[in-house]
Amino acid sequence: MDSKPVLPQESRWPQFLMLALASALTLVFTLVGYVGWRRNSRCPTVEFGHVMLAVLPFENLSGDPNEDYFSDGLTEEIIMQLGALSPDQLV
């Protein structure tokens, strides 16, 4: 006959309580972080007198200096189109 030592059976309550405590703390920290993030993500709207917007020039990547007009024209067209918008549409 195989004789195995009989170990006293430990209660699962301490393990369950530790798991429940860890889960509860994780939930609390997650909720506190979410509420803090939502509160800080609300930026107050500041009214400015005018809107400033910078358009950086496009670069001619073709390597052909005769094609510079295309990148310059594209930059100028974007500036013209944005200049025609009202400041309310840019915000």
Side-chain angles (χ1 to χ4, degrees):
M1 261 208 258
D2 247 325
S3 82
K4 293 182 182 176
V6 177
L7 297 174
Q9 191 171 12
E10 293 183 19
S11 172
R12 295 227 176 234
W13 279 105
Q15 290 176 351
F16 175 74
L17 290 177
M18 292 299 288
L19 180 63
L21 180 63
S23 298
L25 285 175
T26 301
L27 180 64
V28 166
F29 285 131
T30 302
L31 288 175
V32 167
Y34 177 74
V35 168
W37 174 74
R38 292 289 292 171
R39 183 172 293 174
N40 288 338
S41 67
R42 292 185 192 150
C43 297
T45 57
V46 179
E47 296 296 326
F48 293 107
H50 60 280
V51 176
M52 294 176 58
L53 182 67
V55 176
L56 298 177
F58 285 89
E59 185 176 346
N60 180 11
L61 298 177
S62 70
D64 185 7
N66 293 330
E67 299 293 325
D68 281 341
Y69 72 92
F70 183 74
S71 59
D72 292 340
L74 189 59
T75 302
E76 291 297 321
E77 183 64 26
I78 289 176
I79 291 171
M80 294 298 291
Q81 292 292 326
L82 289 174
L85 295 175
S86 70
D88 294 337
Q89 293 174 321
L90 294 175
V91 176

